Amino acid sequence: MIRKIRFRENRMPRYLRRCEDGQSLVEFAVCLPVIMILMTGMFAFGIAVSNYIMLTNATSAAAMQLSISRGQLASPNYDPCATAVAVVRAAAPTLVSANLKYAFVLNGTTYASNTTSCTSTSETTGAAANLVSGQSITVTVTYPCSLAIFKANNFPNCLLTAKSSELVQ
């Protein structure tokens, strides 16, 4: 009688093994979509962070360029805003230039948002005259981003904003 009990104990694990043959396949099929959504979400977030870092560095470079460009006033139609836009575009080549929006504050004078030019025909008036030594300039650049995963429309869009201030030299 002891022998029969041992026989049944040995037989039970084989029976259970036979019923679990497809378990790993079912677990894989259930977990794969969740893992893929998480991975693509991390990639989308990583791209947004990379764009933000690039935008911040480009905005800082534009503000630094404006802070040292007061000596370029000798040219007749010097446009400090166009200079800053050119620096941002050169420092952030992978960002879509048409989607960049700019705002400038030169010596307390705010230039219209979304402008790329603040030209003047005179060295004593307009934006070129606002580059006064010791005064502050502020460059603000915004760039839209999307955290959409698999082109889903229910994910929020984000707006990356970088702002940098410098003193004119």
Side-chain angles (χ1 to χ4, degrees), residues 2 13 16 18 48 50 53 56 67-69 78 84 101 104-105 110-111 130 132 134-135 151 163 165 169:
I2 295 175
L16 289 176
R18 200 172 38 188
S50 174
I53 291 170
T56 303
S67 73
I68 62 170
S69 64
Y78 176 67
K101 305 294 181 208
F104 301 97
V105 178
T110 303
Y111 289 89
N130 285 326
V132 178
Q135 297 298 319
K151 302 291 184 190
K163 185 176 187 178
S165 296
Q169 300 299 314

Side-chain angles (χ1 to χ4, degrees), residues 33-90:
V34 175
I35 291 171
M36 291 303 292
I37 288 174
L38 288 175
M39 285 182 60
T40 54
M42 286 188 287
F43 287 138
F45 186 72
I47 290 170
V49 169
S50 174
N51 286 345
Y52 178 70
I53 291 170
M54 189 179 310
L55 183 69
T56 303
N57 289 338
T59 303
S60 179
M64 284 189 270
Q65 176 64 35
L66 279 180
S67 73
I68 62 170
S69 64
R70 186 173 61 94
Q72 298 177 0
L73 294 177
S75 61
N77 291 321
Y78 176 67
D79 187 358
C81 297
T83 301
V85 168
V87 169
V88 169
R89 288 180 180 168

Side-chain angles (χ1 to χ4, degrees), residues 4-164:
K4 288 184 182 180
I5 293 174
R6 286 184 184 169
F7 180 73
R8 286 187 183 175
E9 286 177 6
N10 290 338
R11 206 171 122 191
M12 191 63 124
R14 274 187 269 152
Y15 174 74
L16 289 176
R17 254 185 290 152
R18 200 172 38 188
C19 291
E20 295 178 359
D21 285 346
Q23 178 183 356
S24 60
L25 182 63
V26 171
E27 289 177 1
F28 180 74
V30 170
C31 293
L32 182 66
V34 175
I35 291 171
M36 291 303 292
I37 288 174
L38 288 175
M39 285 182 60
T40 54
M42 286 188 287
F43 287 138
F45 186 72
I47 290 170
V49 169
S50 174
N51 286 345
Y52 178 70
I53 291 170
M54 189 179 310
L55 183 69
T56 303
N57 289 338
T59 303
S60 179
M64 284 189 270
Q65 176 64 35
L66 279 180
S67 73
I68 62 170
S69 64
R70 186 173 61 94
Q72 298 177 0
L73 294 177
S75 61
N77 291 321
Y78 176 67
D79 187 358
C81 297
T83 301
V85 168
V87 169
V88 169
R89 288 180 180 168
T94 59
L95 300 180
V96 179
S97 297
N99 292 339
L100 293 169
K101 305 294 181 208
Y102 304 90
F104 301 97
V105 178
L106 306 177
N107 193 19
T109 304
T110 303
Y111 289 89
S113 184
N114 304 333
T115 185
T116 57
S117 176
C118 50
T119 188
S120 64
T121 57
S122 170
E123 296 176 13
T124 58
T125 62
N130 285 326
L131 292 176
V132 178
S133 180
Q135 297 298 319
S136 68
I137 52 131
T138 303
V139 178
T140 305
V141 184
T142 58
Y143 185 74
C145 71
S146 175
L147 297 176
I149 301 171
F150 296 124
K151 302 291 184 190
N153 292 330
N154 57 350
F155 285 93
N157 289 333
C158 59
L159 189 64
L160 304 176
T161 303
K163 185 176 187 178
S164 184

